[in-house]
Amino acid sequence: MKGSIATVTAGVRKLHVKSYGCQMNVYDSHRMTDLLAREGYAEACPEDADLIILNTCHIREKAAEKVYSELGRIRKLKDAAAREGRNLTVAVAGCVAQAEGEEIVRRAPLVDLVVGPQSYHRLPELLAEAADGTKVVATDFPAEDKFDHLAPASNAAIRGRGVTAFVTVQEGCDKFCTFCVVPYTRGAEVSRPVGKIVAEVERLADAGVREVTLIGQNVNAYHGDGPDGRPWTLGRLLERAAEVPGIARLRYTTSHPGDMDESLIAAHRDLPALMPFLHLPVQSGSDRLLDAMNRRHTRAEYLRTIEQVRAARPDMAFSTDFIVGFPGETEDEFRATLSLVEEVGFASAFSFKYSPRPGTPAAEMAEQLPEEVKSERLQRLQRLIDGHQAAFNAGSLGRTFEVLFEKPGRHPGQIVGRSPYLQPVQVMASSTLVGEIRSVTITEIAPNSLFGTLTAEPSRVSDRVLLEAGG
Ligand code: SF4
């Protein structure tokens, strides 16, 4: 389980936020950090912290157990702080907090506060409640909009996080796929109003952000109120976000194939800022399994959606998610997944062995597959995906992409950026180019990144034209 650390810059008390899982959690960690910066909390390593927040994720296998073992390590820090006469407050936030609730303080009494994803705007008041040793558990779904209560990030905090940023536009999910905990941990679908999202994008752009990814558990089900008082689609929201001065690139994730509506497909056709790379989870290539997963679409419908998006923007590339070894999956059904990979030619894909999540319908299904069958199928699928990914990257050799430079590279004189397809691109060039978009010709392919040189002219030749010309 990978972690990332959110930071703040000034204050008296010391805060350490460790974030697990998806971009939504990274975004939430930033917003908690911004909120607590206003309360005087400053960044610190775990050893110096007065408050540690674990912002947890429930997607991976044994997520709760991993949180309990992390809490075991934090126990030692809490004891060490007590020996120094300090109090270390420990909070568990995110989806494991929502799913486990009271159980966390029962199993790990060092935890002072458990706060679900819909309640983190109440952190200052909840911390005050916990200050006298009361165990606080806040896992309800309050009617108020948490975003109305959150502090905007300071310009310094935004700059410290780089030239790309996430903006949550939608939370929760109404789809109830039979393997997934999200509808239970994040609740029903809620969309933020257009005006508030645009104001946040404008603030990010003013602080130097060039690329914004609009995020949501089911982002393309977005239906927030527009300035005209009517619900806007994600396509319309992207169109509006593309008008914000300074924003050069837009992305969105994660989408459901059934919610790729006309306006979103039109946005891919009409908005040069909308990058030609779409993560569209499919999970399986078998219609029977898609039905058992309650995915609400067939293989043919998925393929038709891919075709429509490609017709709108011919240089599109796709990534996806697969679950291997769903209860009852036969060898033939698994092969249908392999054939879907061949048919679409994904540029990349995430694949996982099915593992039951307590409380979900699939966990109760008969015909749970043996571990060795799942592992063997996963290996076959991953070999196929790796081949497609390598072919996609190899196809970049000699091409010229526009690259948004994000940070200095590992080697002196090197900077790293991203292609429109999110491939890391390493270039020998001045770090003053960070935040700029330049044309780069790809000269070498390595397994996990591309190497290139700046083209002589800092031209704005569009990737689209070049890629269309190159197929
Ligand atoms: S659409 Fe995604 S978030 Fe919603 S239930 Fe299905 S897998 Fe979970």
Side-chain angles (χ1 to χ4, degrees), residues 361-417:
E364 307 301 319
M365 287 178 184
E367 299 185 277
Q368 301 285 331
L369 297 192
E371 222 27 56
E372 51 288 5
V373 172
K374 293 194 252 181
S375 299
E376 190 268 341
R377 287 181 187 168
L378 183 66
Q379 276 180 21
R380 277 155 70 198
L381 176 61
Q382 287 184 336
R383 267 199 305 274
L384 186 63
I385 291 167
D386 288 350
H388 278 273
Q389 182 162 359
F392 180 78
N393 285 340
S396 305
L397 192 65
R399 282 191 170 169
T400 301
F401 294 130
E402 291 203 344
V403 171
L404 170 59
F405 288 108
E406 295 181 2
K407 57 186 181 191
R410 246 183 267 149
H411 303 293
Q414 194 180 55
I415 53 174
V416 188

Side-chain angles (χ1 to χ4, degrees), residues 448-466:
N448 296 318
S449 55
L450 310 180
F451 293 84
T453 52
L454 292 176
T455 55
E457 295 289 313
S459 73
R460 288 290 180 271
V461 180
S462 105
D463 305 309
R464 188 170 183 172
V465 171
L466 285 161

Side-chain angles (χ1 to χ4, degrees), residues 336-350:
T337 294
L338 298 180
S339 75
L340 187 76
V341 174
E342 299 283 16
E343 203 164 341
V344 176
F346 293 104
S348 62
F350 300 97

Side-chain angles (χ1 to χ4, degrees), residues 239-257:
E239 202 181 310
R240 176 67 189 86
E243 289 165 5
V244 173
I247 295 300
R249 289 181 162 195
L250 290 168
R251 304 180 188 274
Y252 60 92
T253 200
T254 293
S255 298
H256 188 280

Side-chain angles (χ1 to χ4, degrees), residues 173 175-177 179-180 182-183 217-218 256 283 295:
C173 184
K175 294 283 189 290
F176 289 92
C177 299
F179 53 82
C180 182
V182 165
Q217 266 91 26
N218 191 9
H256 188 280
Q283 311 300 359
R295 291 289 292 170

Side-chain angles (χ1 to χ4, degrees), residues 172-200:
C173 184
D174 296 344
K175 294 283 189 290
F176 289 92
C177 299
T178 54
F179 53 82
C180 182
V181 289
V182 165
Y184 311 100
T185 57
R186 292 275 180 161
E189 275 173 22
V190 179
S191 297
R192 296 176 68 195
V194 171
K196 290 186 181 163
I197 295 165
V198 170
E200 190 170 335

Side-chain angles (χ1 to χ4, degrees), residues 406-427:
E406 295 181 2
K407 57 186 181 191
R410 246 183 267 149
H411 303 293
Q414 194 180 55
I415 53 174
V416 188
R418 296 262 176 188
S419 78
Y421 303 102
L422 280 178
Q423 300 148 297
V425 181
Q426 327 253 2
V427 172

